[in-house]
Amino acid sequence: MKKLIAMLLTSSMIFSMTATAFASTDESDAAYVKENGKLVVGITDFAPMDYKEEGSDEWVGFDADMAAAFAESLGVEVEFVEIDWDNKIMELEGKTIDCVWNGMTLTDEVTSSMECSNAYCNNAQVVVVPEDKADQYQDVDSLADLNFAVEAGSAGEAEISALGLNYTAVKAQSDALMEVSAGTSDAAVIDLLMAAAMIGEGTGYESLTHTVELNSEEYGVGFRKGSDLAEALNEFFAASYEDGSMLECAEKYGVQDAVIEQK
């Protein structure tokens, strides 16, 4: 990962003067982060965006690697903190974290409560069921009698709630998959990018598959309302996309087809 971060850091030169300018104002969130010497990133365990490989304490993933490179470009360390996803806005406002960088869907609630970066990945909310029952659940109408497990405060919960379907809120999307695998829930709704990494052949959930796509959406990174770090990150994204390091990072984690062009 060090080699990848080094490549991503070349992108920081393009906007380093901008970041320095931010640090000169009293209201600057960038100045606050630089004074603390670290960028505290709120995450959940969400492969392929933020996760730990077996036997390792290091957070990796497309989001984790990009966050580490962005922090280093600001001249600070990165610190990853697992949060209760339902409390992400409160965590930001209380300054226990500096941003939410975890495959976060740009919902109306998010964009009205946070200063958000430009969208950087496409995604969808998908229904996950046991593979041997998948042919029974191929459209929304077929889902009516199912009991779902969904992450509290997630876009998946919003979709299921809007459809009026029965569900149990769990702490994380990974917990929702465990519920279906154990048979304690009939189905789950999770992010398509997570489904691609976590279920099916060669994964820990080979007996699960995804069927119905409930929506289409985009990911962004959220900072405190009014934060100047959002614009700094937009500059970083644009530079990283232009020099190819963002796409190289995406290819490492198999999400290159979802990356949105950055300008």
Side-chain angles (χ1 to χ4, degrees):
M1 189 178 84
K2 290 182 178 178
K3 180 180 178 182
L4 182 58
I5 289 176
M7 291 186 64
L8 288 165
L9 279 173
T10 62
S11 303
S12 70
M13 296 176 63
I14 296 176
F15 66 92
S16 60
M17 291 181 65
T18 303
T20 301
F22 287 153
S24 65
T25 64
D26 291 340
E27 296 79 15
S28 169
D29 210 23
Y32 168 79
V33 166
K34 289 172 76 70
E35 183 178 354
N36 284 343
K38 60 184 178 181
L39 178 73
V40 184
V41 181
I43 60 171
T44 65
D45 189 348
F46 173 15
M49 311 309 278
D50 296 298
Y51 65 100
K52 292 180 179 179
E53 294 178 326
E54 187 174 353
S56 173
D57 289 329
E58 180 183 14
W59 287 100
V60 296
F62 179 56
D63 281 352
D65 286 11
M66 293 295 292
F70 177 59
E72 193 162 349
S73 76
L74 295 173
V76 300
E77 300 292 325
V78 69
E79 179 181 328
F80 295 105
V81 175
E82 283 192 88
I83 61 173
D84 184 329
W85 194 245
D86 206 23
N87 294 333
K88 56 188 177 292
I89 296 170
M90 182 179 67
E91 297 275 7
L92 264 183
E93 293 175 347
K95 289 193 171 183
T96 54
I97 60 175
D98 298 314
C99 65
V100 181
W101 199 330
N102 189 73
M104 181 176 66
T105 302
L106 293 172
T107 63
D108 290 342
E109 178 192 26
V110 165
T111 56
S112 64
S113 302
M114 303 181 191
E115 198 70 29
C116 294
S117 72
N118 294 335
Y120 65 92
C121 270
N122 291 307
N123 184 50
Q125 294 299 314
V126 297
V127 173
V128 174
V129 295
E131 188 172 25
D132 60 1
K133 298 180 180 178
D135 60 345
Q136 303 174 40
Y137 307 111
Q138 294 294 319
D139 56 41
V140 171
D141 290 342
S142 67
L143 308 177
D145 295 329
L146 296 180
N147 291 309
F148 286 85
V150 296
E151 181 182 48
S154 68
E157 181 180 30
E159 289 297 320
I160 289 299
S161 180
L163 290 170
L165 301 176
N166 296 320
Y167 71 90
T168 299
V170 295
K171 185 177 180 181
Q173 293 189 76
S174 55
D175 293 332
L177 291 179
M178 290 175 61
E179 291 279 336
V180 182
S181 180
T184 50
S185 292
D186 300 319
V189 173
I190 66 171
D191 288 43
L192 176 59
L193 292 184
M194 184 180 196
M198 293 286 289
I199 66 176
E201 186 177 355
T203 72
Y205 294 103
E206 291 192 348
S207 64
L208 303 182
T209 191
H210 67 84
T211 57
V212 184
E213 290 191 11
L214 298 176
N215 69 350
S216 60
E217 59 192 35
E218 297 176 330
Y219 286 163
V221 179
F223 299 89
R224 283 180 278 279
K225 200 67 177 173
S227 174
D228 47 15
L229 285 169
E231 184 56 34
L233 180 56
N234 288 340
E235 297 280 353
F236 179 79
F237 277 164
S240 299
Y241 190 91
E242 184 176 1
D243 69 17
S245 53
M246 186 179 197
L247 287 173
E248 181 170 341
C249 185
E251 288 170 359
K252 178 179 178 180
Y253 295 103
V255 299
Q256 64 273 14
D257 291 341
V259 172
I260 297 170
E261 181 180 2
Q262 303 294 299
K263 298 179 181 179

